[in-house]
Amino acid sequence: MLAVIGTVPDTDFPLTLGEPELQGERLAVAGHTCSLNRGTAALLAAAVKTAQTLSHPRPWAYLIGDIGLGDGSRKLYKHLSRHLGETDFSTLCFHYLMPDVDWHNKVLFAVQAMIARPLLIADAGFMYAAKMSGQAAEYDLFTPDVGELAFLADEKAPHPFYTRGFILQDNNQAPDLMARAYRYDNAARYLLVKGKVDYVADRHGILATVTEPHIAALEAIGGTGDTITGIAAALIDAGMAIPKAALIAAKANRLAGFYANPTPATQVAAIIDLIPQALKEALAASLPDNGSS
């Protein structure tokens, strides 16, 4: 089973564990609800839609409220470090958590205590913590955007705020940044880099790219990067090879955006509703693991 771990921007949202349900534009877990229009909730919603499409069990959610002060994140870190070793999840997807190297390492120790090692996926704040701890290579998939990739590529930056300027310059495009991240062991076994061009890569180079359909309005819609990660995580947990899952997720996410006919005012919930249709099309037209479009 897939477990998705992260925070929601609501200080009143308690530490909550359970199977998520979609209720319109709300995500419900164990009697508590939050908007699913961005962040970990959008990721979870996309994973739920993907699992349903595949007739696979719904993911398990670990959620807590945190508005960036770190209190909720620390409570969730503490719970995971104490109890994750007792679980048997096959895939763990870590998302928005306040980056904290010490707590990250305690969670990783708990993962290592599990009966069988799960596949490890990280995005957003937890991906930052994995890189900051020097433990990026323990992960199977990172899903950064190009800005996050620049931090992974900077071997000296202790925090995203301190990513060096020359790495952020326009002439440092994604392929160069990916190569640099791997050179310094700051990337997972595979990368899914999200942007105008979506890249699937490993330390040997680019495995696939996705550029179509290109919908400019999606750039202004928060949460579309989160949904790619959710689709990929659910596909991986269903048994698909990681590179192919990343490629299919990138294609399906773009197709769902295309079918939504979005404007900059469109909310990601409208795109999430179309994931089943888009995923079926992407799966039907899927290329070999090293294909591109």
Side-chain angles (χ1 to χ4, degrees):
M1 177 183 285
L2 166 66
V4 174
I5 300 161
T7 62
V8 297
D10 180 351
T11 55
D12 294 326
F13 200 98
L15 177 60
T16 304
L17 287 63
E19 287 190 354
E21 297 181 357
L22 307 185
Q23 300 177 353
E25 294 192 5
R26 306 286 293 178
L27 181 82
V29 182
H32 301 281
T33 70
C34 61
S35 170
L36 58 73
N37 274 311
R38 66 185 315 150
T40 306
L43 189 160
L44 264 167
V48 168
K49 287 287 189 180
T50 301
Q52 289 174 341
T53 304
L54 301 174
S55 299
H56 194 67
R58 279 181 293 173
W60 189 262
Y62 287 83
L63 291 177
I64 196 168
D66 194 326
I67 58 172
L69 300 178
D71 293 347
S73 293
R74 284 185 286 272
K75 289 179 182 177
L76 183 48
Y77 275 126
K78 185 175 182 178
H79 177 87
L80 295 169
S81 67
R82 289 183 173 180
H83 300 292
L84 201 54
E86 304 163 2
T87 68
D88 61 354
F89 296 112
S90 52
T91 309
L92 298 177
C93 181
F94 298 95
H95 201 232
Y96 282 110
L97 282 165
M98 179 69 74
D100 186 304
V101 170
D102 186 47
W103 276 116
H104 164 272
N105 292 344
K106 290 177 180 178
V107 170
L108 199 57
F109 288 143
V111 168
Q112 293 166 351
M114 294 172 68
I115 295 173
R117 182 194 182 280
L119 292 170
L120 300 179
I121 302 168
D123 191 7
F126 203 86
M127 178 178 64
Y128 290 159
K131 184 262 189 181
M132 291 157 59
S133 72
Q135 301 292 330
E138 292 292 320
Y139 289 79
D140 299 286
L141 178 66
F142 282 172
T143 58
D145 60 28
V146 176
E148 293 166 332
L149 179 62
F151 171 60
L152 300 181
D154 190 339
E155 76 282 5
K156 293 186 177 181
H159 188 279
F161 289 158
Y162 303 110
T163 301
R164 288 174 289 173
F166 76 90
I167 290 179
L168 295 170
Q169 291 174 359
D170 289 342
N171 62 341
N172 285 292
Q173 299 298 326
D176 294 333
L177 294 173
M178 288 185 286
R180 187 183 179 99
Y182 277 114
R183 187 181 314 135
Y184 294 102
D185 293 324
N186 286 327
R189 184 158 60 107
Y190 295 101
L191 290 174
L192 168 54
V193 180
K194 305 170 288 194
K196 290 183 179 179
V197 177
D198 298 319
Y199 295 91
V200 181
D202 64 11
R203 67 172 51 255
H204 302 294
I206 296 169
L207 302 174
T209 61
V210 181
T211 59
E212 299 294 337
H214 174 67
I215 306 96
L218 289 179
E219 298 293 326
I221 299 173
T224 52
D226 305 317
T227 53
I228 293 180
T229 304
I231 297 168
L235 289 171
I236 291 165
D237 191 63
M240 188 175 289
I242 294 173
K244 184 173 182 179
L247 176 60
I248 294 294
K251 289 184 175 182
N253 202 63
R254 286 174 179 263
L255 285 169
F258 173 75
Y259 293 142
N261 192 25
T263 71
T266 300
Q267 296 292 303
V268 78
I271 296 169
I272 290 169
D273 282 342
L274 293 164
I275 285 174
Q277 176 186 350
L279 182 59
K280 289 174 183 177
E281 182 174 336
L283 288 169
S286 63
L287 298 171
D289 288 6
N290 63 346
S292 63
S293 71

